[in-house]
Amino acid sequence: MTVLDVLKERGFIQQLTHEDEMIALFEKEKITFYIGFDPTADSLHVGHFLGMMVMAHMQNAGHRPVCLIGGGTTMVGDPSGKTDMRKMMTQDDIVYNGERFKKQMQRFIDFSNGKALMVNNADWLLKLNYIEFLRDIGAHFSVNRMLTAECFKQRLDRGLSFLEFNYMLMQAYDFLELNRQYNCTMQMGGDDQWSNILAGADLIRRKESKPAYGLTFTLLTTSDGRKMGKTEKGALWLDAEKTSPYTFYQYWRNIDDADVEKCLALLTFMPMDEVRRLGSLKDKEINIAKKILAFEVTKLIHGAEEAEKAQQAAEALFSGAGTLDNVPTVSITPNMIGMKVLDILAATEIVSSKSEGRRLIQQGGLYLGQTKVTDFDLILTDDLFENKSLLIRKGKKNYHRMVVTP
């Protein structure tokens, strides 16, 4: 079984080019491939995690990953999957974010002894002569064909800047440059990158008269097509400072039953026989699979110790076992007793705003201990606390602990 078979079995592959050639290639040699990451934030999120799992499977089979940091392309912005133009970033911000990415990737990818490479496309894109680039690369692109690409079509009504229109040429040039420097013969990416990947593979075949291949993997979506990895505070980040291990664990613990098997296959290294067994569990038994999923994914991102702490916190809340020490905790001072609950929740960021707090109360979804909050003007009093600690619940399963400290 080649790694291509593994990726197919686990449900990663959406589209690929020259399939027969690719199958023969994987059967006879090890390749260098790349996946690009535009560092638009100072942390990777769970959408990137899928790409890193693909890289890990490929590296485990002996192939060499190139993690391409988009120091140049980030200054332009990829229109794929976007409804608006991306805000401009400084080069300093891009470099800083790229360094943060590498630290997170090292949990999955072995960069020692050239087993994987991390390169930055700013090294060649920022040095390009525009006229030479247009003559050398632009001559191989048909505007008519580009406008049929999904990444451009969806933006035409809302407005597509010429800056963004260049993105496909730049990404194709990245593939060409990596092919020349590192003999990189395959680009992989999310399914929204299909048009860009095709452009790069075609450019190499035209310019170098050499084979080049593309493969897209599935985007992380729910069974009804919605993007996964969104929390009430935004993206599900891989940085513990941006999304706590407990919150990360709880996200996977609470996914829909229909998504459990898919997530086990894509986001863990568990054998597929066990994935299918766990995915087939029904009714209350599916919670066993969800606990395993939450633990395994949290362990991969944050390590076994943090996964165990998150698991203990969840057990403490839902089954009366374990410890509450690892539940997300905020501190208040004694002089805050006597203030309105909504003001304190907003100040401690347990709710993002007082408006969110009011909506929770209207919907019957805010509890202080066992008491449902029904009054917008409720005052926080000493008698709500037990040993200076108060458990706060938002919705069905989102818990915080509030403690009074001097």
Side-chain angles (χ1 to χ4, degrees):
M1 178 182 280
T2 69
V3 68
L4 201 61
D5 297 317
V6 172
L7 294 176
K8 282 182 178 180
E9 183 183 28
R10 301 190 80 93
F12 282 102
I13 297 177
Q14 285 290 98
Q15 301 182 81
L16 43 81
T17 66
H18 312 92
E19 183 170 1
D20 290 341
E21 285 184 40
M22 196 183 294
I23 291 170
L25 179 70
F26 277 117
E27 286 176 345
K28 69 181 182 181
E29 64 183 88
K30 305 302 182 184
I31 68 164
T32 296
F33 68 98
Y34 96 92
I35 298 178
F37 299 85
D38 278 353
T40 55
D42 60 0
S43 172
L44 296 162
H45 55 66
V46 75
H48 297 121
F49 180 31
L50 206 63
M52 289 191 290
M53 289 296 290
V54 172
M55 283 196 292
H57 281 293
M58 290 285 289
Q59 189 178 56
N60 290 341
H63 304 284
R64 182 172 68 158
V66 176
C67 304
L68 181 67
I69 296 297
T73 41
T74 299
M75 300 189 79
V76 172
D78 182 5
S80 303
K82 309 292 189 303
T83 56
D84 295 299
M85 184 173 166
R86 178 188 287 168
K87 73 174 185 177
M88 296 294 181
M89 297 179 66
T90 69
Q91 188 62 23
D92 286 345
D93 288 339
I94 291 168
V95 170
Y96 173 78
N97 292 348
E99 288 300 313
R100 301 272 293 180
F101 278 21
K102 185 171 184 179
K103 289 179 182 177
Q104 293 175 336
M105 289 177 181
Q106 286 171 334
R107 280 194 172 273
F108 305 89
I109 310 302
D110 181 2
F111 288 92
S112 67
N113 302 317
K115 294 175 185 173
L117 304 174
M118 176 166 282
V119 296
N120 189 332
N121 64 16
D123 293 344
W124 53 84
L125 291 179
L126 299 188
K127 298 174 184 175
L128 286 175
N129 177 293
Y130 188 58
I131 298 300
E132 290 179 4
F133 180 73
L134 287 179
R135 289 173 62 88
D136 185 34
I137 303 302
H140 296 285
F141 285 78
S142 161
V143 171
N144 290 347
R145 183 177 176 185
M146 289 173 70
L147 289 175
T148 65
E150 194 62 36
C151 62
F152 292 138
K153 283 197 314 186
Q154 63 186 358
R155 286 291 301 279
L156 290 178
D157 292 339
R158 297 178 61 90
L160 176 71
S161 73
F162 184 70
L163 183 71
E164 294 171 296
F165 196 60
N166 278 267
Y167 191 92
M168 181 181 286
L169 277 71
M170 294 170 71
Q171 185 167 323
Y173 185 73
D174 284 344
F175 196 177
L176 177 63
E177 193 69 22
L178 292 172
N179 180 265
R180 288 169 171 172
Q181 289 191 39
Y182 306 106
N183 193 32
C184 177
T185 56
M186 182 177 294
Q187 181 185 358
M188 297 181 169
D191 202 42
D192 57 352
Q193 293 295 311
W194 180 240
S195 298
N196 293 331
I197 290 173
L198 285 177
D202 184 60
L203 182 63
I204 291 171
R205 287 175 179 253
R206 287 170 180 265
K207 293 288 293 180
E208 303 295 301
S209 300
K210 290 164 58 178
Y213 307 94
L215 181 153
T216 63
F217 43 81
T218 184
L219 300 177
L220 195 58
T221 57
T222 62
S223 55
D224 58 4
R226 292 176 289 112
K227 261 192 176 181
M228 296 184 78
K230 292 292 185 182
T231 70
E232 62 180 23
K233 292 187 178 181
L236 195 66
W237 300 102
L238 306 192
D239 185 339
E241 295 297 317
K242 297 171 79 74
T243 298
S244 72
Y246 172 79
T247 301
F248 191 85
Y249 177 96
Q250 284 298 100
Y251 180 88
W252 303 108
R253 174 66 182 82
N254 296 327
I255 65 168
D256 291 340
D257 295 0
D259 298 320
V260 173
E261 183 171 333
K262 175 181 180 179
C263 289
L264 282 167
L266 295 175
L267 304 178
T268 79
F269 294 104
M270 297 178 68
M272 282 303 297
D273 286 346
E274 181 66 1
V275 166
R276 285 186 279 266
R277 184 189 72 80
L278 291 169
S280 69
L281 298 177
K282 302 296 182 185
D283 303 323
K284 289 184 178 180
E285 285 195 334
I286 196 67
N287 287 316
I288 298 171
K290 290 183 183 182
K291 289 178 183 179
I292 292 171
L293 169 68
F295 183 84
E296 290 297 322
V297 178
T298 306
K299 182 174 71 172
L300 282 173
I301 299 298
H302 297 293
E305 183 178 350
E306 291 298 329
E308 287 167 5
K309 289 179 181 178
Q311 186 179 61
Q312 289 170 5
E315 292 299 318
L317 290 169
F318 302 123
S319 62
T323 174
L324 287 172
D325 292 345
N326 299 301
V327 175
T329 300
V330 298
S331 298
I332 64 169
T333 56
N335 63 355
M336 297 176 78
I337 302 294
M339 292 173 57
K340 289 184 180 179
V341 168
L342 275 181
D343 290 340
I344 296 172
L345 294 183
T348 55
E349 298 185 346
I350 290 177
V351 295
S352 59
S353 65
K354 285 191 275 189
S355 296
E356 185 205 342
R358 290 189 188 95
R359 284 194 297 272
L360 274 170
I361 292 171
Q362 284 177 331
Q363 296 164 4
L366 181 63
Y367 285 79
L368 303 182
Q370 299 298 317
T371 303
K372 180 192 289 188
V373 178
T374 57
D375 182 1
F376 293 154
D377 296 318
L378 180 68
I379 300 297
L380 191 68
T381 57
D382 279 319
D383 62 328
L384 292 169
F385 290 81
E386 181 177 343
N387 296 323
K388 299 187 181 298
S389 177
L390 174 63
L391 195 63
I392 298 167
R393 173 160 66 90
K394 297 187 302 177
K396 291 183 178 180
K397 298 177 180 178
N398 193 334
Y399 286 87
H400 286 76
R401 188 171 61 142
M402 183 182 290
V403 296
V404 182
T405 57

